[in-house]
Structure formats: C-alpha cells, structure tokens
Amino acid sequence: MSQKLVVPIELLKELEDAAKKTFPIECCGFLFGKENDGEILVKKVVHAKNRLESTTRFDIDPREIYNAVSMADKEGLELVGFYHSHPEFAAYPSGYDIEAMKLWPKEVWLIISLQKYETKFRAFIYDKLEPKEVPVEAK
C-alpha cells in the first residue's frame, strides 16, 4: 500500500517558520494526527527543544516525548511522525537520522531543508533497511 503525508498549508508554514527561527540549529518536534488507508493526516504539530543545539543533529528529551504523546492521546490524536530541519543540507535522511528512524519505523520523518535559502519538505519512512520517500501533500 502506498502512503502519503497530508499536511495543512498553515502547519507547513508553521514548520518553515520554526526552521528559520532556529537557524542554523536544527529544529525538531512531533507530528500528530491520524492514519487511514495509507493517508497520514497531520492535524497538530508540537515543537520540541533540540537538546544538542546542533547544526547537524537533533535529540529530544524522552520526558518531552512522553509528555507530548500523553497530551495528544488525551486529544484523540496519534503520533504519526517526527519533523526536523536540515538548515544547510538537502532534505534527505543523514546517517544519524536513519539510526533514529530504526527506533520509530512506523512513523513518518518529515525533513525541512533550508539549503540555498529555498525551503523544501520531504518525508520518509524506514522500510526494509532503508528510508523510503513518502509524498508530501499540502492541503
């Protein structure tokens, strides 16, 4: 079954703003919503602190993950993915990203690239030992 990530335009704008605000540090956070017949619909974005404050990696405190997932559960939403930025690199998973994806193989990973001052969104899931691109649809 093919999958696609559907994100409301206003949430894509919010993610782009977050990436620009934290530049050159990678921003990161959570995507909450619902999955239905391969369509992953994002309904809410929750920003997280990149505790590495790195330009090339991110890490989220496990307590922050727990709190965000608990809050979303109370709202009837599911964790459908994570997002982070690549301030000066292409929107493709790094080796570090791929290692993190192995821990959360069912979630989608949305990467926001600001390379060459042009914002690009690409999404991936970890499938059979490698990242597989998932189309991103602005809605």
PDB file of all heavy atoms in Angstrom, residues 54-87:
ATOM      1  N   SER A  54      22.509  21.530  17.900  1.00  0.00           N
ATOM      2  CA  SER A  54      23.466  21.233  16.843  1.00  0.00           C
ATOM      3  C   SER A  54      22.946  21.713  15.488  1.00  0.00           C
ATOM      4  O   SER A  54      21.742  21.766  15.261  1.00  0.00           O
ATOM      5  CB  SER A  54      23.704  19.713  16.804  1.00  0.00           C
ATOM      6  OG  SER A  54      24.429  19.340  15.656  1.00  0.00           O
ATOM      7  N   THR A  55      23.865  21.990  14.602  1.00  0.00           N
ATOM      8  CA  THR A  55      23.509  22.366  13.233  1.00  0.00           C
ATOM      9  C   THR A  55      23.332  21.148  12.334  1.00  0.00           C
ATOM     10  O   THR A  55      22.878  21.279  11.196  1.00  0.00           O
ATOM     11  CB  THR A  55      24.584  23.280  12.621  1.00  0.00           C
ATOM     12  OG1 THR A  55      25.838  22.571  12.621  1.00  0.00           O
ATOM     13  CG2 THR A  55      24.729  24.568  13.410  1.00  0.00           C
ATOM     14  N   THR A  56      23.697  19.951  12.839  1.00  0.00           N
ATOM     15  CA  THR A  56      23.650  18.752  12.006  1.00  0.00           C
ATOM     16  C   THR A  56      22.940  17.561  12.653  1.00  0.00           C
ATOM     17  O   THR A  56      22.796  16.518  12.010  1.00  0.00           O
ATOM     18  CB  THR A  56      25.071  18.287  11.624  1.00  0.00           C
ATOM     19  OG1 THR A  56      25.812  18.042  12.825  1.00  0.00           O
ATOM     20  CG2 THR A  56      25.772  19.334  10.773  1.00  0.00           C
ATOM     21  N   ARG A  57      22.492  17.702  13.900  1.00  0.00           N
ATOM     22  CA  ARG A  57      21.807  16.599  14.584  1.00  0.00           C
ATOM     23  C   ARG A  57      20.776  17.159  15.548  1.00  0.00           C
ATOM     24  O   ARG A  57      20.866  18.312  15.962  1.00  0.00           O
ATOM     25  CB  ARG A  57      22.801  15.750  15.375  1.00  0.00           C
ATOM     26  CG  ARG A  57      23.719  14.977  14.493  1.00  0.00           C
ATOM     27  CD  ARG A  57      24.771  14.177  15.232  1.00  0.00           C
ATOM     28  NE  ARG A  57      24.268  13.503  16.411  1.00  0.00           N
ATOM     29  CZ  ARG A  57      25.052  12.899  17.304  1.00  0.00           C
ATOM     30  NH1 ARG A  57      26.344  12.883  17.133  1.00  0.00           N
ATOM     31  NH2 ARG A  57      24.546  12.304  18.348  1.00  0.00           N
ATOM     32  N   PHE A  58      19.828  16.312  15.915  1.00  0.00           N
ATOM     33  CA  PHE A  58      18.872  16.717  16.945  1.00  0.00           C
ATOM     34  C   PHE A  58      18.630  15.560  17.898  1.00  0.00           C
ATOM     35  O   PHE A  58      18.857  14.391  17.560  1.00  0.00           O
ATOM     36  CB  PHE A  58      17.546  17.187  16.328  1.00  0.00           C
ATOM     37  CG  PHE A  58      16.658  16.078  15.843  1.00  0.00           C
ATOM     38  CD1 PHE A  58      15.633  15.588  16.636  1.00  0.00           C
ATOM     39  CD2 PHE A  58      16.841  15.519  14.592  1.00  0.00           C
ATOM     40  CE1 PHE A  58      14.813  14.565  16.195  1.00  0.00           C
ATOM     41  CE2 PHE A  58      16.028  14.498  14.133  1.00  0.00           C
ATOM     42  CZ  PHE A  58      15.009  14.010  14.942  1.00  0.00           C
ATOM     43  N   ASP A  59      18.186  15.891  19.083  1.00  0.00           N
ATOM     44  CA  ASP A  59      17.825  14.895  20.082  1.00  0.00           C
ATOM     45  C   ASP A  59      16.755  15.519  20.967  1.00  0.00           C
ATOM     46  O   ASP A  59      16.866  16.689  21.352  1.00  0.00           O
ATOM     47  CB  ASP A  59      19.040  14.495  20.920  1.00  0.00           C
ATOM     48  CG  ASP A  59      18.726  13.331  21.841  1.00  0.00           C
ATOM     49  OD1 ASP A  59      18.343  12.265  21.336  1.00  0.00           O
ATOM     50  OD2 ASP A  59      18.840  13.500  23.067  1.00  0.00           O
ATOM     51  N   ILE A  60      15.713  14.729  21.266  1.00  0.00           N
ATOM     52  CA  ILE A  60      14.608  15.209  22.091  1.00  0.00           C
ATOM     53  C   ILE A  60      14.623  14.437  23.401  1.00  0.00           C
ATOM     54  O   ILE A  60      14.742  13.208  23.405  1.00  0.00           O
ATOM     55  CB  ILE A  60      13.253  15.005  21.377  1.00  0.00           C
ATOM     56  CG1 ILE A  60      13.244  15.735  20.025  1.00  0.00           C
ATOM     57  CG2 ILE A  60      12.101  15.487  22.247  1.00  0.00           C
ATOM     58  CD1 ILE A  60      12.030  15.416  19.153  1.00  0.00           C
ATOM     59  N   ASP A  61      14.486  15.157  24.495  1.00  0.00           N
ATOM     60  CA  ASP A  61      14.443  14.543  25.820  1.00  0.00           C
ATOM     61  C   ASP A  61      13.288  13.535  25.867  1.00  0.00           C
ATOM     62  O   ASP A  61      12.161  13.875  25.486  1.00  0.00           O
ATOM     63  CB  ASP A  61      14.239  15.645  26.868  1.00  0.00           C
ATOM     64  CG  ASP A  61      14.326  15.125  28.288  1.00  0.00           C
ATOM     65  OD1 ASP A  61      13.641  14.127  28.615  1.00  0.00           O
ATOM     66  OD2 ASP A  61      15.055  15.737  29.091  1.00  0.00           O
ATOM     67  N   PRO A  62      13.541  12.307  26.341  1.00  0.00           N
ATOM     68  CA  PRO A  62      12.466  11.301  26.417  1.00  0.00           C
ATOM     69  C   PRO A  62      11.247  11.768  27.224  1.00  0.00           C
ATOM     70  O   PRO A  62      10.119  11.393  26.908  1.00  0.00           O
ATOM     71  CB  PRO A  62      13.143  10.103  27.090  1.00  0.00           C
ATOM     72  CG  PRO A  62      14.594  10.277  26.800  1.00  0.00           C
ATOM     73  CD  PRO A  62      14.831  11.766  26.747  1.00  0.00           C
ATOM     74  N   ARG A  63      11.458  12.595  28.229  1.00  0.00           N
ATOM     75  CA  ARG A  63      10.318  13.118  29.005  1.00  0.00           C
ATOM     76  C   ARG A  63       9.450  14.014  28.137  1.00  0.00           C
ATOM     77  O   ARG A  63       8.229  14.024  28.270  1.00  0.00           O
ATOM     78  CB  ARG A  63      10.807  13.882  30.244  1.00  0.00           C
ATOM     79  CG  ARG A  63      11.429  12.972  31.294  1.00  0.00           C
ATOM     80  CD  ARG A  63      12.069  13.784  32.366  1.00  0.00           C
ATOM     81  NE  ARG A  63      13.181  14.504  31.741  1.00  0.00           N
ATOM     82  CZ  ARG A  63      14.215  15.001  32.388  1.00  0.00           C
ATOM     83  NH1 ARG A  63      14.285  14.920  33.680  1.00  0.00           N
ATOM     84  NH2 ARG A  63      15.184  15.615  31.757  1.00  0.00           N
ATOM     85  N   GLU A  64      10.081  14.754  27.231  1.00  0.00           N
ATOM     86  CA  GLU A  64       9.328  15.618  26.322  1.00  0.00           C
ATOM     87  C   GLU A  64       8.502  14.769  25.346  1.00  0.00           C
ATOM     88  O   GLU A  64       7.366  15.107  25.020  1.00  0.00           O
ATOM     89  CB  GLU A  64      10.281  16.553  25.573  1.00  0.00           C
ATOM     90  CG  GLU A  64       9.591  17.720  24.946  1.00  0.00           C
ATOM     91  CD  GLU A  64      10.545  18.804  24.464  1.00  0.00           C
ATOM     92  OE1 GLU A  64      11.774  18.696  24.636  1.00  0.00           O
ATOM     93  OE2 GLU A  64      10.030  19.773  23.898  1.00  0.00           O
ATOM     94  N   ILE A  65       9.073  13.652  24.906  1.00  0.00           N
ATOM     95  CA  ILE A  65       8.332  12.733  24.034  1.00  0.00           C
ATOM     96  C   ILE A  65       7.121  12.187  24.783  1.00  0.00           C
ATOM     97  O   ILE A  65       5.995  12.214  24.271  1.00  0.00           O
ATOM     98  CB  ILE A  65       9.233  11.572  23.546  1.00  0.00           C
ATOM     99  CG1 ILE A  65      10.390  12.110  22.689  1.00  0.00           C
ATOM    100  CG2 ILE A  65       8.416  10.544  22.764  1.00  0.00           C
ATOM    101  CD1 ILE A  65      11.458  11.077  22.358  1.00  0.00           C
ATOM    102  N   TYR A  66       7.339  11.727  25.996  1.00  0.00           N
ATOM    103  CA  TYR A  66       6.253  11.168  26.807  1.00  0.00           C
ATOM    104  C   TYR A  66       5.141  12.191  27.016  1.00  0.00           C
ATOM    105  O   TYR A  66       3.957  11.890  26.834  1.00  0.00           O
ATOM    106  CB  TYR A  66       6.786  10.676  28.156  1.00  0.00           C
ATOM    107  CG  TYR A  66       5.702  10.194  29.075  1.00  0.00           C
ATOM    108  CD1 TYR A  66       5.183   8.914  28.952  1.00  0.00           C
ATOM    109  CD2 TYR A  66       5.168  11.040  30.047  1.00  0.00           C
ATOM    110  CE1 TYR A  66       4.155   8.476  29.780  1.00  0.00           C
ATOM    111  CE2 TYR A  66       4.143  10.617  30.877  1.00  0.00           C
ATOM    112  CZ  TYR A  66       3.650   9.335  30.736  1.00  0.00           C
ATOM    113  OH  TYR A  66       2.628   8.911  31.552  1.00  0.00           O
ATOM    114  N   ASN A  67       5.520  13.406  27.387  1.00  0.00           N
ATOM    115  CA  ASN A  67       4.522  14.455  27.650  1.00  0.00           C
ATOM    116  C   ASN A  67       3.722  14.798  26.398  1.00  0.00           C
ATOM    117  O   ASN A  67       2.504  14.970  26.458  1.00  0.00           O
ATOM    118  CB  ASN A  67       5.190  15.707  28.224  1.00  0.00           C
ATOM    119  CG  ASN A  67       5.726  15.484  29.624  1.00  0.00           C
ATOM    120  OD1 ASN A  67       5.275  14.590  30.345  1.00  0.00           O
ATOM    121  ND2 ASN A  67       6.696  16.287  30.011  1.00  0.00           N
ATOM    122  N   ALA A  68       4.396  14.904  25.262  1.00  0.00           N
ATOM    123  CA  ALA A  68       3.707  15.255  24.017  1.00  0.00           C
ATOM    124  C   ALA A  68       2.755  14.143  23.584  1.00  0.00           C
ATOM    125  O   ALA A  68       1.616  14.411  23.190  1.00  0.00           O
ATOM    126  CB  ALA A  68       4.729  15.540  22.910  1.00  0.00           C
ATOM    127  N   VAL A  69       3.202  12.892  23.691  1.00  0.00           N
ATOM    128  CA  VAL A  69       2.359  11.763  23.287  1.00  0.00           C
ATOM    129  C   VAL A  69       1.166  11.634  24.238  1.00  0.00           C
ATOM    130  O   VAL A  69       0.037  11.377  23.799  1.00  0.00           O
ATOM    131  CB  VAL A  69       3.184  10.459  23.218  1.00  0.00           C
ATOM    132  CG1 VAL A  69       2.284   9.249  23.032  1.00  0.00           C
ATOM    133  CG2 VAL A  69       4.206  10.545  22.092  1.00  0.00           C
ATOM    134  N   SER A  70       1.386  11.850  25.531  1.00  0.00           N
ATOM    135  CA  SER A  70       0.289  11.785  26.510  1.00  0.00           C
ATOM    136  C   SER A  70      -0.756  12.852  26.235  1.00  0.00           C
ATOM    137  O   SER A  70      -1.964  12.584  26.277  1.00  0.00           O
ATOM    138  CB  SER A  70       0.831  11.949  27.932  1.00  0.00           C
ATOM    139  OG  SER A  70       1.656  10.867  28.263  1.00  0.00           O
ATOM    140  N   MET A  71      -0.307  14.075  25.941  1.00  0.00           N
ATOM    141  CA  MET A  71      -1.220  15.179  25.642  1.00  0.00           C
ATOM    142  C   MET A  71      -2.045  14.865  24.393  1.00  0.00           C
ATOM    143  O   MET A  71      -3.256  15.040  24.369  1.00  0.00           O
ATOM    144  CB  MET A  71      -0.439  16.480  25.433  1.00  0.00           C
ATOM    145  CG  MET A  71      -1.294  17.655  25.029  1.00  0.00           C
ATOM    146  SD  MET A  71      -0.560  18.782  23.807  1.00  0.00           S
ATOM    147  CE  MET A  71       0.225  17.747  22.644  1.00  0.00           C
ATOM    148  N   ALA A  72      -1.372  14.369  23.352  1.00  0.00           N
ATOM    149  CA  ALA A  72      -2.065  14.052  22.101  1.00  0.00           C
ATOM    150  C   ALA A  72      -3.069  12.922  22.305  1.00  0.00           C
ATOM    151  O   ALA A  72      -4.169  12.961  21.745  1.00  0.00           O
ATOM    152  CB  ALA A  72      -1.049  13.673  21.025  1.00  0.00           C
ATOM    153  N   ASP A  73      -2.705  11.947  23.116  1.00  0.00           N
ATOM    154  CA  ASP A  73      -3.605  10.828  23.397  1.00  0.00           C
ATOM    155  C   ASP A  73      -4.906  11.336  24.026  1.00  0.00           C
ATOM    156  O   ASP A  73      -5.991  10.884  23.664  1.00  0.00           O
ATOM    157  CB  ASP A  73      -2.911   9.824  24.314  1.00  0.00           C
ATOM    158  CG  ASP A  73      -3.699   8.547  24.466  1.00  0.00           C
ATOM    159  OD1 ASP A  73      -4.137   7.988  23.433  1.00  0.00           O
ATOM    160  OD2 ASP A  73      -3.884   8.093  25.614  1.00  0.00           O
ATOM    161  N   LYS A  74      -4.795  12.292  24.917  1.00  0.00           N
ATOM    162  CA  LYS A  74      -5.981  12.884  25.559  1.00  0.00           C
ATOM    163  C   LYS A  74      -6.849  13.621  24.543  1.00  0.00           C
ATOM    164  O   LYS A  74      -8.055  13.774  24.743  1.00  0.00           O
ATOM    165  CB  LYS A  74      -5.569  13.829  26.680  1.00  0.00           C
ATOM    166  CG  LYS A  74      -4.984  13.119  27.883  1.00  0.00           C
ATOM    167  CD  LYS A  74      -4.484  14.096  28.922  1.00  0.00           C
ATOM    168  CE  LYS A  74      -3.777  13.336  30.034  1.00  0.00           C
ATOM    169  NZ  LYS A  74      -3.072  14.226  30.954  1.00  0.00           N
ATOM    170  N   GLU A  75      -6.226  14.090  23.456  1.00  0.00           N
ATOM    171  CA  GLU A  75      -6.944  14.798  22.399  1.00  0.00           C
ATOM    172  C   GLU A  75      -7.428  13.856  21.301  1.00  0.00           C
ATOM    173  O   GLU A  75      -7.977  14.298  20.285  1.00  0.00           O
ATOM    174  CB  GLU A  75      -6.052  15.887  21.800  1.00  0.00           C
ATOM    175  CG  GLU A  75      -5.678  16.983  22.795  1.00  0.00           C
ATOM    176  CD  GLU A  75      -4.720  18.001  22.203  1.00  0.00           C
ATOM    177  OE1 GLU A  75      -4.583  18.076  20.960  1.00  0.00           O
ATOM    178  OE2 GLU A  75      -4.093  18.736  22.994  1.00  0.00           O
ATOM    179  N   GLY A  76      -7.186  12.565  21.475  1.00  0.00           N
ATOM    180  CA  GLY A  76      -7.618  11.585  20.484  1.00  0.00           C
ATOM    181  C   GLY A  76      -6.739  11.540  19.246  1.00  0.00           C
ATOM    182  O   GLY A  76      -7.162  11.069  18.194  1.00  0.00           O
ATOM    183  N   LEU A  77      -5.502  12.017  19.373  1.00  0.00           N
ATOM    184  CA  LEU A  77      -4.570  12.020  18.246  1.00  0.00           C
ATOM    185  C   LEU A  77      -3.479  10.981  18.456  1.00  0.00           C
ATOM    186  O   LEU A  77      -3.174  10.612  19.590  1.00  0.00           O
ATOM    187  CB  LEU A  77      -3.939  13.405  18.083  1.00  0.00           C
ATOM    188  CG  LEU A  77      -4.901  14.553  17.791  1.00  0.00           C
ATOM    189  CD1 LEU A  77      -4.157  15.882  17.810  1.00  0.00           C
ATOM    190  CD2 LEU A  77      -5.593  14.336  16.456  1.00  0.00           C
ATOM    191  N   GLU A  78      -2.880  10.551  17.377  1.00  0.00           N
ATOM    192  CA  GLU A  78      -1.799   9.576  17.417  1.00  0.00           C
ATOM    193  C   GLU A  78      -0.497  10.247  16.985  1.00  0.00           C
ATOM    194  O   GLU A  78      -0.507  11.174  16.175  1.00  0.00           O
ATOM    195  CB  GLU A  78      -2.083   8.434  16.442  1.00  0.00           C
ATOM    196  CG  GLU A  78      -3.394   7.733  16.664  1.00  0.00           C
ATOM    197  CD  GLU A  78      -3.811   6.885  15.452  1.00  0.00           C
ATOM    198  OE1 GLU A  78      -3.004   6.718  14.514  1.00  0.00           O
ATOM    199  OE2 GLU A  78      -4.951   6.416  15.456  1.00  0.00           O
ATOM    200  N   LEU A  79       0.613   9.736  17.499  1.00  0.00           N
ATOM    201  CA  LEU A  79       1.911  10.162  16.999  1.00  0.00           C
ATOM    202  C   LEU A  79       2.074   9.534  15.618  1.00  0.00           C
ATOM    203  O   LEU A  79       2.137   8.308  15.490  1.00  0.00           O
ATOM    204  CB  LEU A  79       3.035   9.700  17.922  1.00  0.00           C
ATOM    205  CG  LEU A  79       4.453  10.008  17.433  1.00  0.00           C
ATOM    206  CD1 LEU A  79       4.689  11.512  17.380  1.00  0.00           C
ATOM    207  CD2 LEU A  79       5.483   9.332  18.329  1.00  0.00           C
ATOM    208  N   VAL A  80       2.075  10.363  14.584  1.00  0.00           N
ATOM    209  CA  VAL A  80       2.231   9.840  13.219  1.00  0.00           C
ATOM    210  C   VAL A  80       3.626  10.099  12.680  1.00  0.00           C
ATOM    211  O   VAL A  80       4.006   9.550  11.644  1.00  0.00           O
ATOM    212  CB  VAL A  80       1.158  10.401  12.249  1.00  0.00           C
ATOM    213  CG1 VAL A  80      -0.226   9.924  12.659  1.00  0.00           C
ATOM    214  CG2 VAL A  80       1.209  11.913  12.154  1.00  0.00           C
ATOM    215  N   GLY A  81       4.387  10.952  13.371  1.00  0.00           N
ATOM    216  CA  GLY A  81       5.733  11.210  12.887  1.00  0.00           C
ATOM    217  C   GLY A  81       6.487  12.253  13.667  1.00  0.00           C
ATOM    218  O   GLY A  81       6.012  12.805  14.662  1.00  0.00           O
ATOM    219  N   PHE A  82       7.672  12.492  13.157  1.00  0.00           N
ATOM    220  CA  PHE A  82       8.576  13.499  13.710  1.00  0.00           C
ATOM    221  C   PHE A  82       8.960  14.447  12.583  1.00  0.00           C
ATOM    222  O   PHE A  82       8.906  14.093  11.411  1.00  0.00           O
ATOM    223  CB  PHE A  82       9.858  12.843  14.243  1.00  0.00           C
ATOM    224  CG  PHE A  82       9.630  11.901  15.383  1.00  0.00           C
ATOM    225  CD1 PHE A  82       9.395  10.554  15.144  1.00  0.00           C
ATOM    226  CD2 PHE A  82       9.650  12.349  16.687  1.00  0.00           C
ATOM    227  CE1 PHE A  82       9.182   9.675  16.188  1.00  0.00           C
ATOM    228  CE2 PHE A  82       9.440  11.475  17.743  1.00  0.00           C
ATOM    229  CZ  PHE A  82       9.203  10.133  17.493  1.00  0.00           C
ATOM    230  N   TYR A  83       9.392  15.639  12.958  1.00  0.00           N
ATOM    231  CA  TYR A  83       9.940  16.550  11.952  1.00  0.00           C
ATOM    232  C   TYR A  83      11.249  17.108  12.487  1.00  0.00           C
ATOM    233  O   TYR A  83      11.483  17.164  13.697  1.00  0.00           O
ATOM    234  CB  TYR A  83       8.962  17.692  11.617  1.00  0.00           C
ATOM    235  CG  TYR A  83       8.923  18.775  12.653  1.00  0.00           C
ATOM    236  CD1 TYR A  83       9.842  19.825  12.620  1.00  0.00           C
ATOM    237  CD2 TYR A  83       8.000  18.746  13.691  1.00  0.00           C
ATOM    238  CE1 TYR A  83       9.835  20.817  13.593  1.00  0.00           C
ATOM    239  CE2 TYR A  83       7.990  19.728  14.660  1.00  0.00           C
ATOM    240  CZ  TYR A  83       8.912  20.762  14.606  1.00  0.00           C
ATOM    241  OH  TYR A  83       8.913  21.725  15.583  1.00  0.00           O
ATOM    242  N   HIS A  84      12.100  17.495  11.582  1.00  0.00           N
ATOM    243  CA  HIS A  84      13.305  18.252  11.939  1.00  0.00           C
ATOM    244  C   HIS A  84      13.816  18.966  10.688  1.00  0.00           C
ATOM    245  O   HIS A  84      13.394  18.660   9.576  1.00  0.00           O
ATOM    246  CB  HIS A  84      14.382  17.364  12.569  1.00  0.00           C
ATOM    247  CG  HIS A  84      15.060  16.429  11.625  1.00  0.00           C
ATOM    248  ND1 HIS A  84      14.471  15.256  11.189  1.00  0.00           N
ATOM    249  CD2 HIS A  84      16.279  16.478  11.045  1.00  0.00           C
ATOM    250  CE1 HIS A  84      15.316  14.632  10.379  1.00  0.00           C
ATOM    251  NE2 HIS A  84      16.412  15.355  10.264  1.00  0.00           N
ATOM    252  N   SER A  85      14.691  19.906  10.924  1.00  0.00           N
ATOM    253  CA  SER A  85      15.218  20.677   9.794  1.00  0.00           C
ATOM    254  C   SER A  85      16.649  20.265   9.479  1.00  0.00           C
ATOM    255  O   SER A  85      17.369  19.740  10.325  1.00  0.00           O
ATOM    256  CB  SER A  85      15.161  22.178  10.101  1.00  0.00           C
ATOM    257  OG  SER A  85      15.978  22.506  11.212  1.00  0.00           O
ATOM    258  N   HIS A  86      17.006  20.508   8.239  1.00  0.00           N
ATOM    259  CA  HIS A  86      18.391  20.443   7.784  1.00  0.00           C
ATOM    260  C   HIS A  86      18.713  21.862   7.322  1.00  0.00           C
ATOM    261  O   HIS A  86      18.438  22.206   6.170  1.00  0.00           O
ATOM    262  CB  HIS A  86      18.554  19.442   6.642  1.00  0.00           C
ATOM    263  CG  HIS A  86      18.572  18.018   7.063  1.00  0.00           C
ATOM    264  ND1 HIS A  86      18.784  16.992   6.175  1.00  0.00           N
ATOM    265  CD2 HIS A  86      18.425  17.437   8.281  1.00  0.00           C
ATOM    266  CE1 HIS A  86      18.761  15.835   6.827  1.00  0.00           C
ATOM    267  NE2 HIS A  86      18.530  16.089   8.104  1.00  0.00           N
ATOM    268  N   PRO A  87      19.256  22.673   8.239  1.00  0.00           N
ATOM    269  CA  PRO A  87      19.448  24.097   7.917  1.00  0.00           C
ATOM    270  C   PRO A  87      20.268  24.361   6.655  1.00  0.00           C
ATOM    271  O   PRO A  87      19.966  25.295   5.923  1.00  0.00           O
ATOM    272  CB  PRO A  87      20.163  24.633   9.160  1.00  0.00           C
ATOM    273  CG  PRO A  87      19.739  23.718  10.253  1.00  0.00           C
ATOM    274  CD  PRO A  87      19.627  22.365   9.613  1.00  0.00           C
TER     275      PRO A  87
END
